[in-house]
Amino acid sequence: MARAFRPSGYAALLVLLLTATGLWAQEAPETKAPPPAVLIADDIQVTRDRVLIASGNVEAFQGTTRLTAGEIRYDQNTGALSITGPITIEDGNGTTILANQAELSRDLQNGLLTGARLVLNDQLQLAAVQMNRVGGRYTQLYKTAVTSCRICEDDPTPPLWQIRAKRVVHDREERQLYFDEAQFRIKGTPVFYLPRLRLPDPTLKRATGFLIPSVKSTSQLGTGIKVPYFIRLGDHRDLTLTPYLSGNTRTLEFRYRQAFTRGRIAFEGAITDDDLEPGNGRGYLFGIGQFALKRDFVLQFDIEVTSDDAYLKDYGFSDKDRLDSELRVSRTKRDEYIRLSYINFKSLRDGEDNDTLPTDVIDALYERRLFPRAIGGEFRLTAAAHTHFRHSSVDVDANGDGIVDGRDVFRVNVDAEWLRNLQWGGLQVQTTLGVSADAFRVNQDSTFDDSDSGIAPKAAVTLRYPLVHYGKNASNLIEPVVQFGWVGGDGLAVPNEESTRVEFDEGNLLSLSRFPAPDVRERGWAVAYGASWARYGADTWSANLTMGQVLREDAQADFTETSGLATTTSDFLLAGQLKFNGGLAVSGRTLFDENFDVSKAEVRGDWSNQRLDLGGSYIWISDDAAEDRLSPISEFTFDGAYRIDRFWTASLDWRYDLEEGRAATAGAGLSYSNECVTIAMSVNRRYTSSTSVEPSTSLGLTVSLRGFSADTGGTTHTRSCGKQAK
């Protein structure tokens, strides 16, 4: 019968056996006594020669460290420990030692283990004929095989990959592995030889060295290789350099990151000399940062710069066709929001001239909520200032080409609203009273006055009558709603520059102004009505549906046809979502008139289960010259992934332009991943072209060996041993 043993004369054995939290755990502070140790065995004896012998299912515990062995002998006279296997030592932090026999010193800092195997972070296995413990820091393994692949005892087949070395030294403090006469093998076949090799162990999160290389082939740049090199500059900053070499390009990519006490920054970019733009240096720089300032303010910046319009797409760095760089200071509280920002835009689109676009924008916003006890309800105050500049100094449309050339605009808007909610029985009433003040100044546009201002009082009453039915497996909610609204004042003689694209959806059905910016406001009387239905079911499915329309006293000239709001009677809005417990979800939104002519429509569907992830969407927007859209947009997208088995996954994405009758982009991928290797192959095709971008095809191949990083990412499956394994 197993016994727990705590003899006073030999308690030193227990302390020595697991001192400093074990062979491989971090040393405890000197001022902190080691936790109590416990030894459990079937039989424990003390001989006349002062030798303690514990045998039969021996287990020793101290803190998070656990040792199991067949027998432990401790000679108090010599201080020697002799351990007979099978031996297992676990430090509780992911490091495990397996051995057949061990001879260790009293303090466990030196010793010899035979038939030993070291397992790091449950990922990397180092099997050796002999293992030496030196100075408590170094572990030397002789005639070693290193792999992260599953090894089955009854399977003579060699692992997929392994590193054979004459000697391997594990530096516990630096968490590094040093190989002497290393030989890399695939399925037992030697591939290459290195006299010296250094790799981080899996417990080290950040170490200077090479990262996973990849092979990339494109129709424009040819076949090339990327070899990232990670440089640890300290505990809180690092630099990654990635040379990309092919027959047509010499590119150096980089990424710099640094963390501060109150913030962080990250920059990435590239410098290129290629055959696409011979003699012209190319490159880009993206950067983000965030810092906590005093009084709860936050400073943020976002930098996006590129050398030419095609560079980002030529190299696959980004699909953005308009870059925005921003510097922002803001503060967010429960009842207050403050923001001041500067934004610079740069267009990469063909036919757009950055000199005639409002590329420099300054925004200031202050929002405040108050809850006056005297009158009840909620009081909201908003003050905003905005200005945008064009680099051109030419008066608007001086060339008669319909392009706004040099117009600059400055505006100030102040809104004050009082909201009060009342309820009579099941009827819910929300009242709104407010006033808005607007002031504008327009420069370099002779078609408008230099300045204009006005006051816009407003009022609204919103009525709701929610009806709820609680069923056995589901609850249903039906809520009809109607709003009577009015906005006074005369429209200002200022240009509409910020509200040229209006979206009418369930989010602004009950808004007094549906323009996205206050440079234009809806005026006059309006009635918005609609109804929503929602089913919340725990059985099989849930759904929600919203329908609504806006009736207006006067038509608003600044609404476009495809906005659905151009006339006194708006289009019907219909939006909904359907979700099944089996993984299928469908959502959609559309605008249509009384003749069921659709101006906009979109639908998105997703289906997911244990092996399949599918997603697709369709969008339709009719042509509208007021929105610079001379032909309709009709586009279908599809993306999906299929897990063929535990290790293989295939993916596909496709975007098809129905109006043009051809694909816009297409891509496919195949990946294999298990406990010891990840292989990813991809092919992507871009069909679209312009004066700066050509159609291109790219191929990618990445092979990574698992076991030499702290976080391999994602979910992996380990291969099973035995004939019944799948």
Side-chain angles (χ1 to χ4, degrees):
M1 183 175 181
R3 293 186 295 166
F5 183 59
R6 299 182 182 179
S8 59
Y10 289 90
L13 167 65
L14 308 180
V15 177
L16 288 174
L17 184 63
L18 297 168
T19 297
T21 67
L23 283 172
W24 314 103
Q26 296 290 335
E27 295 183 0
E30 294 182 0
T31 58
K32 192 174 183 179
V38 178
L39 178 66
I40 301 174
D42 292 341
D43 182 69
I44 299 176
Q45 301 178 14
V46 180
T47 69
R48 294 180 179 179
D49 299 331
R50 299 174 64 83
V51 176
L52 183 145
I53 303 174
S55 60
N57 298 313
V58 180
E59 292 186 79
F61 303 90
Q62 187 181 43
T64 61
T65 303
R66 176 176 179 265
L67 181 148
T68 62
E71 182 183 270
I72 295 178
R73 290 174 175 264
Y74 172 64
D75 190 334
Q76 190 179 24
N77 295 322
T78 63
L81 288 172
S82 178
I83 307 175
T84 303
I87 303 169
T88 301
I89 303 175
E90 300 174 338
D91 72 348
N93 296 315
T95 300
T96 304
I97 299 174
L98 307 173
N100 297 326
Q101 189 77 23
E103 299 290 339
L104 301 174
S105 63
R106 178 189 302 231
D107 58 2
L108 299 180
Q109 302 304 299
N110 298 278
L112 173 68
L113 298 92
T114 59
R117 185 152 54 105
L118 176 63
V119 182
L120 299 175
N121 207 35
D122 295 328
Q123 297 180 34
L124 194 65
Q125 304 177 47
L126 298 89
V129 174
Q130 179 178 306
M131 180 189 299
N132 286 351
R133 175 74 168 166
V134 181
R137 172 176 175 177
Y138 300 100
T139 303
Q140 300 185 48
L141 301 98
Y142 296 92
K143 295 183 179 180
T144 309
V146 181
T147 185
S148 61
C149 300
R150 177 73 179 271
I151 299 177
C152 301
E153 296 181 359
D154 56 349
D155 186 2
T157 305
L160 179 61
W161 70 267
Q162 62 177 314
I163 300 176
R164 289 292 185 103
K166 182 178 180 180
R167 186 181 71 153
V168 177
V169 177
H170 178 226
D171 187 336
R172 175 178 162 234
E173 291 185 8
E174 296 294 331
R175 290 182 286 184
Q176 297 286 330
L177 294 168
Y178 299 89
F179 296 77
D180 291 341
E181 300 183 24
Q183 189 181 87
F184 183 76
R185 297 185 178 188
I186 297 178
K187 297 298 289 185
T189 303
V191 176
F192 60 83
Y193 169 84
L194 291 172
R196 296 289 186 272
L197 177 64
R198 178 182 63 84
L199 294 171
D201 78 21
T203 64
L204 184 59
K205 296 182 178 181
R206 301 169 67 248
T208 298
F210 289 99
L211 302 179
I212 301 169
S214 61
V215 177
K216 183 178 181 180
S217 178
T218 71
S219 57
Q220 291 179 300
L221 303 174
T223 301
I225 185 171
K226 291 185 175 183
V227 184
Y229 188 76
F230 180 86
I231 304 173
R232 181 178 179 272
L233 301 175
D235 293 337
H236 307 292
R237 56 178 178 163
D238 56 61
L239 173 66
T240 304
L241 300 176
T242 306
Y244 173 32
L245 301 176
S246 75
N248 298 325
T249 184
R250 282 71 58 195
T251 297
L252 178 62
E253 302 175 20
F254 61 87
R255 184 192 67 182
Y256 177 80
R257 302 182 301 179
Q258 183 168 356
F260 302 89
T261 303
R262 299 178 65 87
R264 62 185 184 273
I265 59 173
F267 292 91
E268 63 179 35
I271 302 173
T272 293
D273 180 16
D274 60 23
D275 297 340
L276 301 180
E277 297 283 345
N280 297 327
R282 310 180 74 190
Y284 87 101
L285 176 65
F286 283 6
I288 58 173
Q290 179 174 309
F291 293 89
L293 305 179
K294 295 182 179 180
R295 301 181 65 181
D296 298 327
F297 281 95
V298 177
L299 171 66
Q300 296 171 289
F301 69 83
D302 176 13
I303 299 174
E304 296 180 354
V305 180
T306 185
S307 59
D308 56 81
D309 295 350
Y311 182 72
L312 296 177
K313 291 187 177 180
D314 285 345
Y315 285 83
F317 294 131
S318 175
D319 290 329
K320 298 187 70 170
D321 56 7
R322 282 177 176 166
L323 306 182
D324 55 279
S325 300
E326 181 178 6
L327 179 64
R328 173 187 296 189
V329 177
S330 62
R331 184 176 72 180
T332 303
K333 292 187 175 182
R334 177 180 176 85
D335 298 317
E336 182 187 63
Y337 178 70
I338 302 174
R339 185 190 73 220
L340 175 64
S341 63
Y342 165 76
I343 307 174
N344 176 263
F345 293 96
K346 180 181 179 180
S347 175
L348 307 180
R349 298 181 181 182
D350 290 339
E352 290 190 346
D353 184 358
N354 284 288
D355 287 340
T356 61
L357 293 176
T359 54
D360 293 294
V361 178
I362 298 176
D363 257 319
L365 177 64
Y366 176 79
E367 294 181 339
R368 178 75 175 175
R369 297 195 312 168
L370 301 171
F371 300 90
R373 295 183 178 180
I375 58 175
E378 176 184 342
F379 180 75
R380 296 179 181 178
L381 175 66
T382 302
H386 169 93
T387 183
H388 57 258
F389 305 92
R390 291 175 170 85
H391 288 248
S392 173
S393 59
V394 180
D395 197 347
V396 62
D397 202 12
N399 301 323
D401 54 7
I403 299 176
V404 177
D405 292 332
R407 179 196 298 149
D408 301 326
V409 177
F410 172 77
R411 63 171 172 84
V412 175
N413 309 98
V414 178
D415 285 277
E417 288 185 335
W418 175 69
L419 297 87
R420 180 71 184 272
N421 294 324
L422 304 171
Q423 185 165 340
W424 288 287
L427 179 65
Q428 298 179 0
V429 181
Q430 182 186 65
T431 59
T432 302
L433 292 174
V435 62
S436 300
D438 306 311
F440 287 81
R441 182 170 182 82
V442 181
N443 297 323
Q444 297 180 172
D445 188 348
S446 57
T447 60
F448 290 93
D449 294 335
D450 290 343
S451 62
D452 199 358
S453 61
I455 300 294
K458 53 187 176 182
V461 177
T462 304
L463 307 176
R464 305 171 184 269
Y465 200 88
L467 304 170
V468 182
H469 174 264
Y470 297 100
K472 181 178 181 181
N473 298 317
S475 300
N476 289 270
L477 169 66
I478 299 177
E479 184 182 64
V481 60
V482 60
Q483 181 192 73
F484 301 92
W486 170 79
V487 178
D490 297 326
L492 304 184
V494 295
N496 177 9
E497 294 222 298
E498 302 173 65
S499 300
T500 58
R501 305 292 187 272
V502 178
E503 294 295 331
F504 177 36
D505 54 36
E506 60 272 33
N508 60 17
L509 174 63
L510 302 179
S511 298
L512 289 178
S513 180
R514 293 163 189 87
F515 289 105
D519 59 336
V520 184
R521 297 184 185 275
E522 294 186 47
R523 309 279 179 167
W525 287 93
V527 177
Y529 71 93
S532 62
W533 164 76
R535 181 186 191 272
Y536 305 97
D539 50 355
T540 57
W541 59 279
S542 300
N544 61 75
L545 185 67
T546 300
M547 188 171 183
Q549 190 181 35
V550 178
L551 307 178
R552 195 175 290 106
E553 179 185 17
D554 300 311
Q556 306 294 304
D558 290 297
F559 283 131
T560 61
E561 289 293 332
T562 52
S563 70
L565 299 165
T567 62
T568 56
T569 302
S570 77
D571 288 350
F572 290 99
L573 164 68
L574 182 64
Q577 184 182 51
L578 179 63
K579 186 176 182 180
F580 293 90
N581 291 350
L584 177 63
V586 180
S587 60
R589 180 185 295 110
T590 185
L591 297 176
F592 58 91
D593 61 17
E594 62 276 5
N595 297 320
F596 294 98
D597 293 329
V598 177
S599 58
K600 289 182 181 179
E602 61 176 331
V603 62
R604 171 75 189 184
D606 295 279
W607 182 38
S608 179
N609 58 31
Q610 293 183 350
R611 302 193 66 173
L612 187 64
D613 293 313
L614 293 178
S617 63
Y618 172 76
I619 184 171
W620 157 266
I621 304 177
S622 62
D623 58 295
D624 192 339
E627 295 187 0
D628 299 323
R629 190 171 52 255
L630 302 181
S631 60
I633 294 177
S634 181
E635 188 174 276
F636 171 78
T637 62
F638 170 83
D639 56 86
Y642 177 68
R643 286 170 285 279
I644 302 172
D645 56 26
R646 292 188 302 164
F647 310 111
W648 288 95
T649 301
S651 60
L652 179 68
D653 62 87
W654 182 47
R655 185 162 63 92
Y656 190 83
D657 191 331
L658 296 171
E659 186 66 23
E660 295 289 336
R662 59 175 175 82
T665 61
L670 183 65
S671 65
Y672 176 85
S673 180
N674 60 23
E675 80 285 355
C676 64
V677 68
T678 296
I679 303 173
M681 297 167 286
S682 64
V683 56
N684 294 278
R685 173 68 177 173
R686 187 182 69 241
Y687 297 91
T688 56
S689 62
S690 64
T691 57
S692 59
V693 179
E694 295 292 333
S696 65
T697 301
S698 63
L699 304 173
L701 173 63
T702 303
V703 180
S704 61
L705 304 180
R706 292 182 175 268
F708 294 107
S709 62
D711 183 9
T712 54
T715 301
T716 61
H717 295 278
T718 302
R719 294 168 296 159
S720 303
C721 295
K723 296 181 180 180
Q724 302 301 322
K726 294 183 180 180

